[in-house]
Amino acid sequence: ISSRRAGRARGCSAEAAQAEASAAALLTWLNRGPFVITARIDAPTDRYGRNLRIAKRINPDGSEDRLADCMQENGGARGYGGFRRDWC
């Protein structure tokens, strides 16, 4: 996923709003309870050498609650798609 970081938004008010939504979605997800972080098997690093990880928790019904899904559903992030896109 790709998200703007609060304090780093520059360019337009939409980007600043996106950064705030991102921070709020992250805080909401983290406050829901314990979670695990695992390495991706298919691509453990990106082309810049950064570690790619999956943050998730398992719900009582056995389903997964992934941080990336929460961030996208709550307007805090979008799919990366392999290239940079403007936030404005």
Side-chain angles (χ1 to χ4, degrees):
I1 61 172
S2 177
S3 67
R4 288 306 304 162
R5 290 175 281 190
R8 290 223 173 163
R10 51 184 190 261
C12 69
S13 59
E15 185 176 9
Q18 187 73 23
E20 292 302 320
S22 180
L26 174 60
L27 185 60
T28 297
W29 191 86
L30 290 172
N31 284 331
R32 281 201 291 235
F35 59 93
V36 296
I37 298 176
T38 59
R40 286 181 48 169
I41 295 171
D42 61 330
T45 60
D46 67 9
R47 63 181 173 185
Y48 304 107
R50 295 176 293 202
N51 294 326
L52 301 176
R53 300 293 182 253
I54 298 170
K56 65 182 179 181
R57 65 177 54 90
I58 305 300
N59 294 319
D61 66 1
S63 64
E64 290 186 350
D65 177 18
R66 293 182 175 223
L67 173 59
D69 295 338
C70 174
M71 298 280 291
Q72 289 179 304
E73 290 166 4
N74 292 296
R78 62 182 176 210
Y80 178 60
F83 59 93
R84 289 183 183 226
R85 291 182 294 175
D86 190 10
W87 289 92
C88 297

